[in-house]
Amino acid sequence: MSTDKTSGEASGTFSGGKPGTPLESDADTRARDIQFEMREALRAGSGLERLEKCGISVLAGGVTPTLRNGRAGFAGVVTCGSVHVCPCCSTSIRRVRQDELDQVGQFWECQSCGLVMMTLTMRHYDRDALEDLEQKQRAAWKAGFGMNAGRQWRDAKVSFGIRGFIRAWEVTHGPNGWHAHYHVLLFLARPLANDDVARLQHLAFEVWSTALVTVGARMPLEVSEKDGKPVAVKIDAPDRGESGRLARYLMKGQDGKTRWGIAAELTRQDVKVGQGGHRTPFEIARDAIAGDARSWELWREFVQTATGVRSLYWSNGLRKLLAEMGFELDERNDQDIAADEASAGQPLACIPASTWYRHIARHKGRPLALLKAAERGGVRAIRALVESWGLLWGADVTEPEKLEADELPTAAEVMRRANRVELAARAEVWRRGFALAEQAEIKARAKETDAKVKALKAAAVDETEQAAVDETAQLVIEELEPLEQGEAATARAEFIRRRALAATARLDDIAAALHRVRHPNAVPAQRVSLRKRRRPVLVDEPQVAPPPPGAASPTCRTCGGKLAPALVPYGHHMQGRFTRC
């Protein structure tokens, strides 16, 4: 890794008591605007609760717009402090951490000590999940260089004079999937010669490759077959005076291979791109916001994995060693840094929580518009903006409190507060009156609209019925047109006859029904159907009385036929099997 000697030096000094590097008055705010828009678009799609509340939820009674060195912010709102996921908090945290690491690198170099950067990568493919790669990467670090390191690395630490390290986690996505790797800043007791750097690189590769295979990862390559450059392990030693920039590289913000000055840091999230077809997480987020479904899947996978990963890790004892050497470190965590960076500055106004939630936070773009107004014209611009939103200055939005903690309010201040409360009460009465009038107007409009809708529905029904009648008449006319005059007359006569029969049957039915009502005990008459034919009534043949017993006859008395001997007593013979004469 080479350093860019033409990039500008970091301005200002660092101290644990200061909230970070001061910003220049002419700093570009375009990146800040894009970060606000990205955070607003990523709230719902990331599935991270603290990102949803970042910059929206109120900590106490209200929100205070502040201004510092030409840059505006909000005091009193929640900051998530996510260095991986939140575009706004990430920029603030990385700016402070970069400033700190820059000062640490310069201080360590001034003590005639050595500093090298070790980059550790691992083989990966598109089918590999980021969570699986990160777990194997962390397990390999513990086995090779961490708490479970073997004798080979422990001896190397003594041989090369390694006093500690700072490890940064970085990930990009490219044609071969997720590319997770470590940047490790090694603090040495003395600078290393070129031969020692090569020897340390070879030894670190043996340790790293053995650890990767042990945890189940793929065996890495030491050098590339194409150009012979280091692959799995690469160690870079800075030239004299470049240690600060090398240390600053750890928190470059997933930007590729570029060193950053302050102005470049402000724009790194919206203009910098990864190298070699690789995309940084925030580039993936921008593509997801633009509508790429695959980028949304990758972004959610990154959020799920990166939420529990430390972006910057200091080895045990290194911070204590720097403190003993006289360097003052920033002891704040990431969330405190994000909150301080957002709230530091001169207060310009006070926005109560009710006003913030109802009129500003729930309206897209209004928080950013407030910051722009504060940077453009201070209190006057803020007042003009909130009044354009229909808010009342002095009631909905007030001037900030300027009293010190140990001061008592003066009589003028007490009167001012009383007037402010009275004005707020009047404004509330006006709002209630306006709300009642608006509700009455809305109800009247709704009633009028319902009447119009009912009238339109009735007219539509009438039109539909008339259209059906007209269509039926037209069909009848079209059916009768092909018939000749004679056929039409015959059909008309047949229709009249059938209609008369139907009317007669209908009258008969009505008469029968009335008769049943008037004479419930009468026997109902048989109903005649015009559609069905009447079935014939079968009349049984008269039965011939059998002859008295003992009346024998050799012949049939009906047909005169000869009787069978068994049938002689009865006087009849059998004409068929089942028919009796």
Side-chain angles (χ1 to χ4, degrees), residues 188-267:
L188 311 176
R190 61 187 182 277
L192 293 183
N194 293 335
D195 295 341
D196 294 335
V197 171
R199 188 162 57 91
L200 178 60
Q201 178 172 290
H202 179 71
L203 187 146
F205 171 78
E206 293 181 354
V207 174
W208 180 242
S209 60
T210 303
L212 287 175
V213 175
T214 302
V215 300
R218 301 178 180 88
M219 180 67 185
L221 297 176
E222 184 174 6
V223 294
S224 175
E225 297 179 355
K226 296 181 180 180
D227 51 14
K229 294 182 179 180
V231 178
V233 179
K234 181 182 179 183
I235 294 182
D236 298 283
D239 297 332
R240 184 67 180 174
E242 299 293 334
S243 297
R245 294 179 183 176
L246 184 68
R248 192 180 184 85
Y249 181 79
L250 288 180
M251 295 299 289
K252 64 182 182 302
Q254 312 272 16
D255 51 44
K257 304 298 181 182
T258 309
R259 309 310 184 279
W260 300 103
I262 293 179
E265 290 171 18
L266 294 177
T267 59

Side-chain angles (χ1 to χ4, degrees), residues 23-29 68-71:
L23 297 177
E24 299 179 6
S25 58
D26 57 347
D28 184 17
T29 59
R68 182 188 64 170
N69 296 329
R71 186 77 174 271

Side-chain angles (χ1 to χ4, degrees), residues 148-467:
N148 300 328
R151 180 176 296 275
Q152 185 179 13
W153 181 248
R154 293 200 299 268
D155 293 342
K157 291 171 65 177
V158 176
S159 175
F160 291 96
I162 301 176
R163 298 297 183 85
F165 65 86
I166 303 176
R167 187 192 68 205
W169 182 71
E170 183 178 337
V171 62
T172 58
H173 189 273
N176 290 332
W178 292 106
H179 175 54
H181 50 283
Y182 285 136
H183 291 300
V184 186
L185 193 63
L186 298 178
F187 290 79
L188 311 176
R190 61 187 182 277
L192 293 183
N194 293 335
D195 295 341
D196 294 335
V197 171
R199 188 162 57 91
L200 178 60
Q201 178 172 290
H202 179 71
L203 187 146
F205 171 78
E206 293 181 354
V207 174
W208 180 242
S209 60
T210 303
L212 287 175
V213 175
T214 302
V215 300
R218 301 178 180 88
M219 180 67 185
L221 297 176
E222 184 174 6
V223 294
S224 175
E225 297 179 355
K226 296 181 180 180
D227 51 14
K229 294 182 179 180
V231 178
V233 179
K234 181 182 179 183
I235 294 182
D236 298 283
D239 297 332
R240 184 67 180 174
E242 299 293 334
S243 297
R245 294 179 183 176
L246 184 68
R248 192 180 184 85
Y249 181 79
L250 288 180
M251 295 299 289
K252 64 182 182 302
Q254 312 272 16
D255 51 44
K257 304 298 181 182
T258 309
R259 309 310 184 279
W260 300 103
I262 293 179
E265 290 171 18
L266 294 177
T267 59
R268 62 186 169 194
Q269 302 294 346
D270 61 314
V271 298
K272 296 300 178 181
V273 296
Q275 302 293 323
H278 287 250
R279 292 187 298 169
T280 66
F282 285 122
E283 289 176 337
I284 296 175
R286 286 196 294 271
D287 294 339
I289 295 172
D292 187 9
R294 174 58 178 164
S295 297
W296 269 122
E297 296 177 0
L298 296 176
W299 173 252
R300 293 190 182 98
E301 183 180 3
F302 171 76
V303 171
Q304 183 178 0
T305 303
T307 301
V309 179
R310 299 178 64 175
S311 63
L312 202 64
Y313 177 77
W314 291 64
S315 63
N316 295 332
L318 180 58
R319 299 181 71 89
K320 182 179 179 181
L321 176 61
L322 290 172
E324 292 175 353
M325 296 173 65
F327 188 84
E328 185 179 2
L329 290 170
D330 191 347
E331 300 298 337
R332 296 174 299 169
N333 56 30
D334 290 349
Q335 191 166 1
D336 293 338
I337 291 176
D340 293 342
E341 288 292 303
S343 60
Q346 179 185 1
L348 301 179
C350 182
I351 306 174
S354 58
T355 303
W356 173 263
Y357 285 124
R358 185 181 303 174
H359 301 286
I360 298 177
R362 296 179 182 177
H363 297 268
K364 184 177 180 180
R366 284 194 174 182
L368 182 58
L370 266 178
L371 296 183
K372 292 182 178 179
E375 293 169 350
R376 183 175 61 254
V379 178
R380 296 181 61 182
I382 292 178
R383 178 172 182 176
L385 180 62
V386 299
E387 288 179 350
S388 68
W389 294 338
L391 303 178
L392 186 61
W393 183 264
D396 297 320
V397 180
T398 63
E399 296 181 358
E401 297 290 341
K402 299 181 180 181
L403 296 178
E404 299 294 336
D406 55 348
E407 289 185 0
L408 294 176
T410 61
E413 182 64 24
V414 172
M415 293 297 296
R416 190 180 301 111
R417 293 182 181 180
N419 293 334
R420 187 177 301 168
V421 172
E422 183 181 0
L423 186 59
R426 290 181 181 178
E428 186 64 24
V429 173
W430 296 340
R431 287 197 187 90
R432 290 180 182 177
F434 293 153
L436 293 175
E438 186 177 1
Q439 291 178 3
E441 184 178 359
I442 291 174
K443 290 182 180 179
R445 289 180 180 177
K447 187 175 181 180
E448 183 180 356
T449 303
D450 292 341
K452 291 182 179 179
V453 170
K454 291 181 180 179
L456 291 175
K457 287 183 178 179
V461 171
D462 295 341
E463 291 179 359
T464 303
E465 293 178 353
Q466 185 63 32

Side-chain angles (χ1 to χ4, degrees), residues 436-515:
L436 293 175
E438 186 177 1
Q439 291 178 3
E441 184 178 359
I442 291 174
K443 290 182 180 179
R445 289 180 180 177
K447 187 175 181 180
E448 183 180 356
T449 303
D450 292 341
K452 291 182 179 179
V453 170
K454 291 181 180 179
L456 291 175
K457 287 183 178 179
V461 171
D462 295 341
E463 291 179 359
T464 303
E465 293 178 353
Q466 185 63 32
V469 172
D470 295 343
E471 184 178 0
T472 304
Q474 183 66 25
L475 290 176
V476 172
I477 294 173
E478 291 178 357
E479 290 178 358
L480 295 178
E481 282 181 356
L483 299 177
E484 299 294 335
Q485 293 183 358
E487 295 178 355
T490 303
R492 189 179 299 107
E494 180 65 18
F495 172 74
I496 293 173
R497 186 183 69 81
R498 291 187 180 184
R499 187 174 62 180
L501 291 176
T504 304
R506 179 62 178 167
L507 293 175
D508 293 342
D509 291 341
I510 294 174
L514 293 174
H515 185 269

